[in-house]
Amino acid sequence: MFFKVTTSEETFEILKEFSPCGGETAPLSEALNRVVCEAIIAPEDLPEFARSTMDGYAVRARDTYGASESLPAFLEMTGEVIMGQAPAGTVTSGKAVRISTGGMMPEGADAVVMIEYCHGLDDTTIEVSRAVSPLENVIRPGDDLKKGTVIFERGAVLRPQDIGLLAGLGIEKVAVYKKPKVAIISTGDEVIPIDQRPGPGQVRDINSYSLSAFCASAGATPVNLGLCKDHFSDLKAMVARGLEMADTLLLSGGSSVGARDITVKVLESFPDMELLVHGISISPGKPTIIARIGDKAVFGLPGHVASAMVVAEVFLTPFLARLAGDAGAFEDDHFYLEAELKRNVESASGRDDYIRVKLDKRAGRLFAEPVFGKSGLISTLVEADGLVKIDRNTEGLYQGQIVPVLLFKPRKGA
């Protein structure tokens, strides 16, 4: 029996009570997709000197005023800016200096004429056929970022372009939230290692590998503790080990009534345990347990792999993001696509049904084809591209209805 059955919404609210992991300092090379735990402030201007954005000639803009193809301006070329070095001279009236993209602007110059509008008459004279205005084709100091600017607030998720900006400022390390460590235990007397041949009634350990891969794809660090028989003392010792070394714990298995009872009894044997969820009104995935031991969450996931993975996709994705410091973790940041349902799908009221669907694009229209199968079949997940939710207050969806598809990440190839 289930004694604390909760809705999806109630379960999300329960998971929001858990706090992010602590902070750490990470090298910039390992900061991608990490969440900033302290505001980052620009230590200097970017760039620190005026630079050209084009290949051409550094000039005083007023020396080009009125220049055109029919009446060009004539300037004396006095040198060239060497990349990576400060310019040697000063640009004075009627002078020009050759410069490349990214080169440091010489003193006295306030604009760059693109090379396309310049023509060399001899070794020292160029004609300019187009006027430029002050600061044209020039980046000034601090144009990208001013010293003292708050670049990223606490809670920002660092993207590739963000990493580039930090590199440009010489920031080698950043303060970020720790990646959550997730201990994973696969339980069941019938579960054997994958390098063994199953005997009668036995199955290979699919869940440990599926859940470890899921956690890794979600940005967490999986710690696979291995297999455990449905034995009280063995399971308790393994749970204690998992709680000691990880930030949260996944128990996979125990879908049968007897095995599930052992799981609950093991969790209840810890003095500071609180049972938060004993069943969720969803399908697949109803036999899910969530407990708090100390300040850590423990999930008892169904043994059937499709059920376990649907629960992981729906609930663990935002929860792990929360532990990683993402303030918007529960603001439904899943990647959705809208598609047209290809057939009617019935649903029992009183529970949220998550049906697996595969996507098919034809004649510019995107269709969602339900993939039916029992919760013990992993092939239905492999065939599917995502999930469609049927709300518990409806009795199903209709062919032709436009539905949001929660895409598996990363999305399956075409």
Side-chain angles (χ1 to χ4, degrees), residues 286-317:
K286 181 178 180 179
T288 296
I289 298 166
I290 304 175
R292 186 203 312 269
I293 298 180
D295 60 351
K296 297 179 180 179
V298 179
F299 292 79
L301 301 178
H304 289 157
V305 63
S307 297
M309 294 303 290
V310 167
V311 173
E313 187 67 42
V314 175
F315 298 104
L316 284 181
T317 296

Side-chain angles (χ1 to χ4, degrees), residues 43-64:
E44 59 190 41
D45 286 338
L46 183 68
E48 290 192 280
F49 57 87
R51 304 171 63 184
S52 171
T53 63
M54 296 289 177
D55 292 340
Y57 292 87
V59 299
R60 299 195 316 170
R62 60 180 174 269
D63 290 340
T64 70

Side-chain angles (χ1 to χ4, degrees), residues 250-326:
L250 307 183
L251 285 164
S252 170
S255 286
S256 65
V257 174
R260 187 167 58 243
D261 288 345
I262 291 176
T263 300
V264 174
K265 288 177 181 177
V266 165
L267 299 181
E268 288 177 337
S269 68
F270 288 84
D272 49 356
M273 178 270 191
E274 179 185 3
L275 186 63
L276 304 174
V277 175
H278 195 193
I280 305 177
S281 56
I282 63 170
S283 177
K286 181 178 180 179
T288 296
I289 298 166
I290 304 175
R292 186 203 312 269
I293 298 180
D295 60 351
K296 297 179 180 179
V298 179
F299 292 79
L301 301 178
H304 289 157
V305 63
S307 297
M309 294 303 290
V310 167
V311 173
E313 187 67 42
V314 175
F315 298 104
L316 284 181
T317 296
F319 178 71
L320 293 179
R322 169 77 165 195
L323 292 190
D326 186 350

